[in-house]
Amino acid sequence: MTEDGAAAEVVLVTSGDEKHPPENITDRKMETFWMSTGMFPQEFIIRLSSAVKISLITVHSYNVRDLKIEKTTSNDITEFEPLAEKEFECTEGHLQTNDFSFNATTATRLRFIITSGYDHFISVHNVTVDGKYE
Amino acid sequence: MVKLRARCILLGDAAVGKSALAQMFRSDGAHFQKNYTMTAGVELFMKSVNIPESSDSVELFIFDSAGKETFLEACEKLWKQPSVLCLVFDVTSETSFRSCERWLERVRAHCQGLQVPGVLVGNKSDLSSRREVEMAVAQEWAQSQGLEYHETSAKEMENCEAPFVSLAQAFYGMYQDRVQTIQSLA
Ligand SMILES: Nc1nc2c(ncn2[C@@H]2O[C@H](COP(=O)(O)OP(=O)(O)OP(=O)(O)O)[C@@H](O)[C@H]2O)c(=O)[nH]1
Ligand SMILES: [Mg+2]
C-alpha cells in the first residue's frame, strides 16, 4: 500500500496454491499469505497504480533466505533493474520483517525474486510500499 | 488444488540402472533399454505424480545424473537445493552399495541445511542368483541414514514407480506440515 492508500496488485507469480493465492501479498492482512510450492528461484511482481517515489518497502515473510528486489518504470516487464538485495535472518516461530529504505526511487512495478529459503517452502504475508505519487 | 514442484536428484554408481529406472517411470513401463548407454552429465525430465484421494499433485523434475566420476563436477553444478533424493545401487554389486555413503555425502553438501527426504533403491532384483547385497543389510543401512528402502527391477518392470511415488508423497506431507505451521504463526 502506498502513503496515499492507493492500490498495488500482484501481476505475476511463479507458483501457487489456490488456498494461498498471491493476492494475499497485498491484502494488508498478516494472517493471509502466498505460499511457494517448491524449488527456487520464486518470484512475484507487484504493479503500483501509477509511478511512485518509493521511500520504504517492508516485507513480512517466513523462511525466506535471499531476496532480490528489482524495479521498472516502463510497461515492458523485461526491463527491470536491480534495486536491493538482502539475506534475511532465520526466525523460527515468528514472521520475518525486513525493511528496505530508499532515497525516493521511482517505480511502477517491483519484482521480488527469492533465490533461496530456509525451507523448501516459503511464505510472503505482506509487502507494503511507502512513498509519494510522482 | 495445489501443484508442488520438486527437484529430484537421481544418483549412484555408473551402470546401476538409474537411467533405466527413470525411463521405466517416465514411460509407465513401456520402455526398457537393454544396451547400456552411459549418461554423460545430467538428463532432466519432468513427471507429475498424483496424490491419492486429493486433486493435488507433485511435479518431479528428475535430474538423472551420471555415475561416472569424470562427470561429477558437471553434475554437482545442477544439484543445488535438492527437494528429494533417489540413491540407487545394484544388488549384484557390493561395490555400488558401499559407494552410497559417498554419494550421500556429496549431495548433502548441496542441501544447505534443508531437510531432504530420500530413498535408497536396490535395483536389478531380477538377477537373484548374482545377488551380493542382502535386503536386510541394505534396509538397515537405509534406515540409519533416514532413507526409505525399495527394491526394483527396471528390466522386469518391478516396483519402478514406488520410489518416486514415495518421494512425491513425502514432499507433499512436508508441504502440508509447513502450511499448518505458518498458519499457526500469523
Ligand atoms: N538385469 C537388469 N539389468 C538392468 C536393470 N536396470 C538396468 N539394467 C541394465 O544395466 C545397464 C546400465 O543401466 P543404466 O540405466 O544405463 O545405468 P546408469 O546407472 O544410468 O549408468 P550411468 O548413466 O553411467 O550412471 C544397462 O545395460 C541396463 O539395461 C535391471 O533391473 N535388471
Ligand atoms: Mg544413466
Side-chain angles (χ1 to χ4, degrees):
Chain A
M1 154 182 99
T2 66
E3 202 170 70
D4 314 39
E9 64 170 326
V10 179
V11 290
L12 178 146
V13 74
T14 42
S15 80
D17 178 339
E18 282 177 352
K19 291 200 197 99
H20 305 286
E23 297 90 271
N24 289 347
I25 295 173
T26 49
D27 70 356
R28 305 173 203 185
K29 286 190 204 124
M30 221 47 101
E31 318 83 76
T32 63
F33 52 89
W34 164 70
M35 185 91 178
S36 77
T37 54
M39 306 214 303
F40 293 99
Q42 292 283 340
E43 71 172 80
F44 57 91
I45 293 175
I46 291 181
R47 183 172 65 198
L48 305 168
S49 51
S50 72
V52 175
K53 266 194 183 150
I54 300 169
S55 53
L56 181 71
I57 297 174
T58 305
V59 179
H60 297 277
S61 57
Y62 194 61
N63 276 330
V64 172
R65 188 170 185 152
D66 291 291
L67 177 87
K68 281 190 216 166
I69 307 178
E70 297 179 351
K71 66 152 194 175
T72 185
T73 48
S74 127
N75 277 330
D76 181 353
I77 63 162
T78 59
E79 277 181 35
F80 280 93
E81 55 179 281
L83 184 60
E85 200 171 337
K86 189 168 172 182
E87 183 176 339
F88 288 9
E89 263 175 53
C90 183
T91 56
E92 241 187 276
H94 61 95
L95 297 186
Q96 300 165 306
T97 302
N98 284 275
D99 286 338
F100 297 84
S101 304
F102 305 99
N103 190 6
T105 183
T106 304
T108 53
R109 281 164 216 251
L110 296 166
R111 176 187 200 172
F112 296 78
I113 306 163
I114 298 139
T115 53
S116 68
Y118 290 105
D119 188 28
H120 298 285
F121 311 107
I122 57 99
S123 57
V124 178
H125 296 246
N126 235 322
V127 172
T128 57
V129 179
D130 289 317
K132 283 199 170 67
Y133 283 116
E134 287 259 273
Chain B
M1 192 197 80
V2 58
K3 199 194 286 173
L4 302 185
R5 274 185 289 175
R7 183 187 279 263
C8 174
I9 310 296
L10 187 55
L11 75 172
D13 274 3
V16 297
K18 297 181 295 298
S19 300
L21 200 63
Q23 272 310 318
M24 290 309 271
F25 175 57
R26 182 184 192 174
S27 67
D28 294 313
H31 188 76
F32 175 69
Q33 173 99 31
K34 201 151 180 265
N35 299 322
Y36 174 42
T37 317
M38 183 201 293
T39 307
V42 173
E43 273 164 34
L44 171 67
F45 70 92
M46 190 279 278
K47 180 155 172 168
S48 190
V49 176
N50 294 322
I51 302 295
E53 283 157 45
S54 76
S55 54
D56 303 337
S57 59
V58 179
E59 287 181 346
L60 289 177
F61 289 79
I62 298 181
F63 288 69
D64 175 13
S65 310
K68 199 156 196 279
E69 302 262 337
T70 343
F71 304 112
L72 189 62
E73 209 174 311
C75 289
E76 289 205 43
K77 287 207 174 89
L78 295 163
W79 288 359
K80 269 199 310 189
Q81 305 183 51
S83 312
V84 297
L85 304 176
C86 183
L87 178 56
V88 186
F89 72 96
D90 171 352
V91 296
T92 71
S93 158
E94 173 82 37
T95 316
S96 74
F97 176 61
R98 273 194 257 111
S99 297
C100 288
E101 192 162 356
R102 201 171 60 239
W103 284 111
L104 208 52
E105 260 168 42
R106 281 173 183 153
V107 74
R108 283 198 169 143
H110 298 272
C111 292
Q112 301 185 353
L114 294 178
Q115 179 196 338
V116 179
V119 292
L120 177 69
V121 177
N123 187 40
K124 308 198 187 179
S125 63
D126 55 289
L127 302 173
S128 48
S129 61
R130 286 166 44 193
R131 184 187 273 270
E132 287 184 5
V133 183
E134 288 313 315
M135 194 173 191
V137 175
Q139 203 141 33
E140 195 180 326
W141 184 77
Q143 203 168 19
S144 75
Q145 300 298 316
L147 306 171
E148 194 176 294
Y149 185 60
H150 294 266
E151 282 204 354
T152 59
S153 165
K155 183 164 177 243
E156 301 294 329
M157 284 190 244
E158 275 283 314
N159 218 21
C160 297
E161 290 218 331
F164 299 104
V165 169
S166 137
L167 287 172
Q169 281 176 337
F171 196 64
Y172 181 71
M174 213 149 121
Y175 178 76
Q176 289 187 310
D177 180 69
R178 297 311 193 267
V179 169
Q180 243 181 18
T181 305
I182 291 169
Q183 258 160 348
S184 72
L185 292 181

